[in-house]
Amino acid sequence: MAFLSDVIYLDNNATTRVAPEVVEAMMPAFGPQYGNASSMHTFGGQMGRCLEEAREKCAALVNADPSEIIFTSCATESDNAAWYSATETQPEKRHVITTKVEHSANIAYGHYLEDKGYEVTWLGVDANGRMDLDELDRAIRPDTALVSVMFANNETGTVFPIEKIAQIVKSHGVQLHVDAVQAAGKEVIDLKKLPIDYLAIAGHKIHAPKGIGLLYLRKGTRFRPLIKGGHQERGRRAGTENVPYIIGMGKACELAAADLQGERARLAALRDRLQDGLLAAIPDCKINGDQEHRLPNTLNISFEAVEGEALLLQLDQYHICASSGSACTSGSLEPSHVLRAMGVPFTFAHGSVRFSLSRYNTQEEIDRVVSVMPGIVSNLRAISPFARRA
Ligand code: PLP
């Protein structure tokens, strides 16, 4: 099968290209350095040291202690492990709070708990995707085991005020889990300052491979492992450590930390160029999400009376990769649960496209997208039953 090589990849909130530096760092562990990190002998012990070096690099990205980092297989596992631990260690507490705009990794666990008789409070958001912090404060009860919120939304890029959320949750003495999958490497995350108990990150969103994630677990937080078995990860996540991928994750975190502010500025400038170009060239479109508090790489834009999936197919003809929402829910013709929670009108919600950038995108690519989009939108509007006609 011939793979496309000339793509303009603007779907980095779905997954990212593995950085060449990451591939290079991982290679020895696929070759001669294949020892088991938990072995007693020197050959394996050397891999154990590589693993601990990677842990230090991951901890540095979020200003945590290396002992607070647990490697997992993906962020879904990290999210599930946090919910599992919080509820298992506090069996008398049968209430959990989360939001309607979370990733399915958390939403599904909420529904699972509801099936088991738990009460889950699903907090809404306003038209810009913002949470009502007073509503959060009022929702917390003596039997609340966990509050789980995302740092930044994968579909709109809206960044929640995590510091204020943490203050509120901690003033009630309740555990807090933060899904930081989209924020990692794009927002400053300082866990010495943020009183968060659990935090999830995925490798494949920060230029490490798919199949590696981490769970931050604050020192002193009681923990029950989701995956039970051997004593790996200090008994907090069983299973032979995936050393090559852990090394890759460490390298990816190191690269992300090296120029976080510079890369934020570069991404925001490119994203704004895309946004301004589309708004200037195409009538009746609307930005979704909080434009003041937004990930620098994300643009979610709705084109009235256009079918989002059709628009993506047209973009695909130009080898431009974007998304109509979360990749995990694409294929369904229902408008995204995030846009629905924000009350985005039907004719706009259906025509939403998410462009998400990475360090590998260039101005030329952005200009190419701006040049092809007006034609695509007007062609689709010409055949749309919902289009306004002159
Ligand atoms: N949380 C958020 C906000 C995400 O965007 C994703 C992936 O899209 C996940 C969790 C799940 O990550 P993974 O696919 O690595 O399990």
Side-chain angles (χ1 to χ4, degrees):
M1 181 172 157
F3 276 90
L4 296 177
S5 57
D6 58 344
V7 296
I8 297 181
Y9 187 78
L10 297 175
D11 199 12
N12 288 280
N13 287 9
T15 199
T16 59
R17 174 188 168 170
V18 180
E21 299 92 327
V22 169
V23 175
E24 196 190 341
M26 289 166 61
M27 284 320 280
F30 287 120
Q33 297 171 19
Y34 57 84
N36 185 324
S38 297
S39 295
M40 287 295 291
H41 44 71
T42 309
F43 184 60
Q46 284 172 334
M47 298 323 287
R49 274 197 294 285
C50 294
L51 195 146
E52 293 315 317
E53 267 173 35
R55 202 186 303 279
E56 282 165 23
K57 290 174 184 167
C58 294
L61 179 64
V62 292
N63 198 18
D65 193 274
S67 66
E68 295 174 313
I69 303 297
I70 304 169
F71 289 112
T72 63
S73 66
C74 61
T76 300
E77 183 193 325
S78 307
D79 285 327
N80 276 228
W83 285 67
Y84 176 85
S85 176
T87 48
E88 285 284 311
T89 55
Q90 307 172 90
E92 70 291 354
K93 298 188 174 178
R94 308 277 294 174
H95 175 235
V96 176
I97 300 171
T98 189
T99 80
K100 290 182 182 168
V101 296
E102 298 301 308
H103 188 271
S104 51
N106 293 300
I107 290 188
Y109 210 99
H111 290 316
Y112 165 74
L113 288 181
E114 282 178 329
D115 288 346
K116 287 183 38 148
Y118 278 75
E119 199 182 321
V120 178
T121 300
W122 301 93
L123 298 173
V125 294
D126 70 11
N128 291 312
R130 294 183 193 166
M131 261 174 84
D132 177 343
L133 297 186
D134 291 332
E135 194 190 349
L136 166 67
D137 194 27
R138 284 194 305 273
I140 300 174
R141 316 190 312 213
D143 66 338
T144 306
L146 181 72
V147 175
S148 175
V149 294
M150 59 199 340
F151 202 121
N153 189 271
N154 45 307
E155 293 189 29
T156 62
T158 298
V159 175
F160 279 154
I162 288 297
E163 200 172 333
K164 288 187 189 139
I165 291 170
Q167 276 164 9
I168 292 169
V169 174
K170 287 291 128 188
S171 73
H172 291 270
V174 169
Q175 291 196 358
L176 175 62
H177 168 53
V178 173
D179 177 334
V181 169
Q182 297 295 344
K186 298 174 209 150
E187 297 291 314
V188 174
I189 304 176
D190 184 343
L191 290 165
K192 295 271 187 284
K193 291 204 183 121
L194 291 169
I196 292 170
D197 300 285
Y198 309 91
L199 179 130
I201 297 180
H204 72 108
K205 312 285 186 179
I206 58 167
H207 305 289
K210 297 152 191 69
I212 181 73
L214 68 79
L215 175 66
Y216 160 85
L217 172 69
R218 179 169 294 278
K219 230 180 251 177
T221 306
R222 280 180 63 208
F223 189 70
R224 273 292 162 76
L226 175 68
I227 310 274
K228 300 158 194 52
H231 291 106
Q232 294 89 353
E233 295 297 282
R234 299 185 178 86
R236 298 173 302 185
R237 201 279 185 181
T240 302
E241 301 89 342
N242 185 352
V243 180
Y245 281 39
I246 290 173
I247 292 172
M249 179 87 174
K251 188 68 190 176
C253 287
E254 184 181 58
L255 293 172
D259 186 24
L260 191 80
Q261 293 301 353
E263 189 53 18
R264 274 174 62 78
R266 199 190 75 88
L267 284 172
L270 280 184
R271 188 272 316 274
D272 291 347
R273 188 179 178 92
L274 177 61
Q275 176 173 308
D276 296 346
L278 295 179
L279 289 177
I282 304 173
D284 302 319
C285 49
K286 161 185 181 318
I287 311 298
N288 298 309
D290 186 342
Q291 289 186 55
E292 200 186 332
H293 305 286
R294 189 169 42 149
L295 291 173
N297 78 320
T298 306
L299 170 63
N300 187 312
I301 181 164
S302 286
F303 302 94
E304 193 183 18
V306 169
E307 179 60 65
E309 304 283 327
L311 210 159
L312 291 180
L313 290 176
Q314 295 286 313
L315 282 173
D316 198 42
Q317 303 286 310
Y318 293 92
H319 297 182
I320 296 169
C321 308
S323 155
S324 63
S326 126
C328 311
T329 53
S330 62
S332 115
L333 285 178
E334 279 292 295
S336 115
H337 69 288
V338 175
L339 299 187
R340 265 186 292 148
M342 289 162 60
V344 176
F346 176 85
T347 57
F348 275 100
H350 258 285
S352 81
V353 177
R354 178 188 71 185
F355 297 101
S356 49
L357 284 59
S358 84
R359 74 170 69 117
Y360 297 114
N361 291 121
T362 63
Q363 189 170 305
E364 290 67 41
E365 291 179 327
I366 296 303
D367 291 347
R368 171 85 177 134
V369 177
V370 171
S371 75
V372 302
M373 278 291 288
I376 294 177
V377 172
S378 76
N379 286 346
L380 291 173
R381 279 183 177 156
I383 54 166
S384 165
F386 301 108
R388 294 188 222 161
R389 313 246 185 256

